[in-house]
Amino acid sequence: MSLEEPVPAQLPEVKRKRGQGVGAVFETLKHEILNLTLEPGSPIDEVKLAERFGISRTPIREAMVKLAGEGLVVTLPNRFTIVAPIDFANLPQFFDALSLMYRVTTRLAAANRTENELAAIRELQHTYTAAVEASDVPAMIEVNRNFHAAIARAGKNRYYTDLFVRLLDEGRRLLRLYYSSYNDKLPRIYLQEHEVMLAAIEAQDIEAADRIAEAHAEQIVRQIQNAMTEDRRLNAGISL
Amino acid sequence: MSLEEPVPAQLPEVKRKRGQGVGAVFETLKHEILNLTLEPGSPIDEVKLAERFGISRTPIREAMVKLAGEGLVVTLPNRFTIVAPIDFANLPQFFDALSLMYRVTTRLAAANRTENELAAIRELQHTYTAAVEASDVPAMIEVNRNFHAAIARAGKNRYYTDLFVRLLDEGRRLLRLYYSSYNDKLPRIYLQEHEVMLAAIEAQDIEAADRIAEAHAEQIVRQIQNAMTEDRRLNAGISL
DNA sequence: TGTATTTTCATTGTCGACACGAAATATTCA
DNA sequence: TGAATATTTCGTGTCGACAATGAAAATACA
């Protein structure tokens, strides 16, 4: 299941400042988990991580506790810590929550956005366009997440933003898993929808923002479901 | 700001099994934070905690990281960890999210509840009634939270349940803070509303569940706001 | 040869000690 | 006397070592 980086690069042996260790480990592992560089369900060895980062196990462990708190990792007491498996059984609930958060955050953004925030969102839309032009799928996935996270932040409700970002991150793993089915047409649909969303937020049209957010969510859910179905068809091709 | 337990009781020096320490510390501190036994903003000393629980600082620290992950505690690097302050500035957003989660979880409960879950919810309603009869305010606050958490669980969406429980817990601190304004009339209104909510869930009437959930949320928000206003009026009485 | 029991082994959970950082306090200098 | 600087103090962040645990390997037994 390895993607572009099968073996994580050894970090340079830089003397890190006190208190930087856990944060670095946390961010690095979070990235690798969301990029599927670390396979879901695979075990994580504290000692190897300690060697890799050139620090002792204590800060590694604290990073693991933080990762577990965000559900990125599951701890089996006295045994292993494993990368959180992708929970396909909960997918319908995931889609439901994702859809609601799309709507709520986009509504609030339309109501509460400042000019600065609007500019930041527009900037991300440009970056996304560039990624689409370059057919850079990983970049598209990452920027798409940042685009919606920026919208959520402009809505200024921490509770929604936190949940939404978590859902978007979990969605990143799903998209990565099925990104092979990305064809040229789909990203351009997203691009158009993002444009409409941006316009509704700029015009502070809450109901329009709500409608396009719901449509956008449905679009994405449908795409992932299609990708999964195709994937299953591929599996069905093997002899039984 | 101390309530009924100003000095946390010294725990008996029981030899705890491996791996039980962090959980015990986490649960105990979470309880004390939500009960306002630990004052919001007050510093937490790792060494004192280690002595209190009879374990070393390492598991204490892991518990702190977990508490920080749930927002119950704030870590100031190289300095302190403090009990999370109550963020009055974010109160409107808190109320907004609380209200939406009330609605969503109650809707889903009406749609998805099993007979067993219904019985469990009804049981908690009885416990709540008993607490009201006994005028036991702390019990009322705790059981009320458990009642709605049970409803959320019956809705079977982990994402909503997690956020809702977090919001309910944060609300517990607010209720504790203002529970002096609890008069005999209010709890009985809640009791009635809970009854209606239960009936809607039992009848699997999603729209009715939604309506009563929204009304219930508004009721609670209004009560807390009233309590805060009264509180401010009391402050206004002192000489300036 | 197959099953139950013991031993080994790998990996975690916990500990005590020490190094580092920021604030509080004492000291110097104008 | 007051500001700038050095020193102390206090608590955290990190380390290396060790004990507990559960799985796997080795052994005993029928």
Side-chain angles (χ1 to χ4, degrees), chain B residues 18 44-46 57 61 78-79:
Chain B
R18 178 190 173 84
I44 299 178
D45 186 331
E46 295 177 1
R57 275 179 52 230
R61 287 195 117 243
N78 277 314
R79 222 71 249 303

Side-chain angles (χ1 to χ4, degrees), chain B residues 12-30:
Chain B
E13 274 285 346
V14 190
K15 185 72 180 176
R16 251 175 294 278
K17 275 221 190 81
R18 178 190 173 84
Q20 307 242 330
V22 284
V25 174
F26 175 78
E27 290 299 333
T28 305
L29 288 186
K30 178 171 181 175

Side-chain angles (χ1 to χ4, degrees), chain A residues 65-91:
Chain A
V65 173
K66 280 181 75 174
L67 288 168
E70 296 207 2
L72 294 167
V73 122
V74 178
T75 305
L76 315 181
N78 278 313
R79 225 66 254 303
F80 293 111
T81 298
I82 62 173
V83 177
I86 296 178
D87 188 354
F88 292 98
N90 275 328
L91 229 41

Side-chain angles (χ1 to χ4, degrees), chain B residues 56-68:
Chain B
S56 83
R57 275 179 52 230
T58 308
I60 299 282
R61 287 195 117 243
E62 294 197 1
M64 301 304 264
V65 173
K66 281 181 75 175
L67 288 168

